[in-house]
Amino acid sequence: MKRCDLLVDAGRRRFLSGAGVAAAGAAAATVIPSVPAKAAVPAARVTYPSTRLGNVKDLKLNQPVGVAYPDAEAPGVLLKLGKRVPGGAGPDGDIVGFSTICPHKGYPLAYSADRRTLNCPGHYSVFDCEAGGQETWGHATQNLPQYSLRVDQKGDIFAEGLDELLYGRLSNVL
């Protein structure tokens, strides 16, 4: 068997003395005062458009209505679930809206009325519409973006924000 002549035998003493020098340098760095850091800059807050998506009278129990929010390039859905749910709007707290693009790879989602889930045909992620779009199965690493909804006195439904990042975007608002 041939021996590699590029190996260096540092030996135990040399290795430990090198580690000691590194530890002493790290300790000295914590004792020496450093230049004060600049004040933290607050993160930019995204201002969402308030967009009318429909009216309560247009919704039928457990039947999806296609919408787009925050712009025409972001397909979504409005649902009347028939029971109060997290993030629900309207007089009964049962109206929700979600993006219909899978946050895993961007596949279009399909609504399952019997399970009340949005399902991905690509990698089989399943999002529970009664639990705020929480992923219950699949490869996605984030929940489904849910709309922040408001219903006015006339029954008009307005989207005014999202709680997750839309797939493929660095910002939800272009």
Side-chain angles (χ1 to χ4, degrees), residues 37-45:
K38 292 182 180 179
V41 177
R45 182 170 165 84

Side-chain angles (χ1 to χ4, degrees), residues 92-141:
D92 301 322
D94 65 342
I95 299 171
V96 292
F98 297 97
S99 167
T100 53
I101 299 296
C102 183
H104 176 234
K105 292 285 184 178
Y107 285 93
L109 301 176
Y111 183 65
S112 170
D114 56 327
R115 295 179 63 202
R116 295 184 182 209
T117 58
L118 283 162
N119 305 316
C120 180
H123 297 102
Y124 310 110
S125 290
V126 176
F127 303 93
D128 188 344
C129 295
E130 294 180 326
Q134 181 178 9
E135 182 196 15
T136 58
W137 181 260
H139 293 280
T141 58

Side-chain angles (χ1 to χ4, degrees), residues 45-51 69-71 74 160-162 164-166 169-174:
R45 182 170 165 84
V46 175
T47 303
Y48 288 96
S50 180
T51 305
Y69 184 78
D71 53 50
E160 298 184 329
L162 287 159
E164 298 276 351
L165 186 63
L166 292 171
R169 295 191 180 189
L170 299 176
S171 170
N172 286 337
V173 182
L174 299 176

Side-chain angles (χ1 to χ4, degrees), residues 20-30:
V21 169
T30 60

Side-chain angles (χ1 to χ4, degrees), residues 61-85:
L61 184 62
N62 208 23
Q63 292 183 12
V65 173
V67 296
Y69 184 78
D71 53 50
E73 302 300 315
V77 66
L78 279 180
L79 296 163
K80 181 170 179 60
L81 297 174
K83 72 176 197 175
R84 188 170 295 279
V85 293

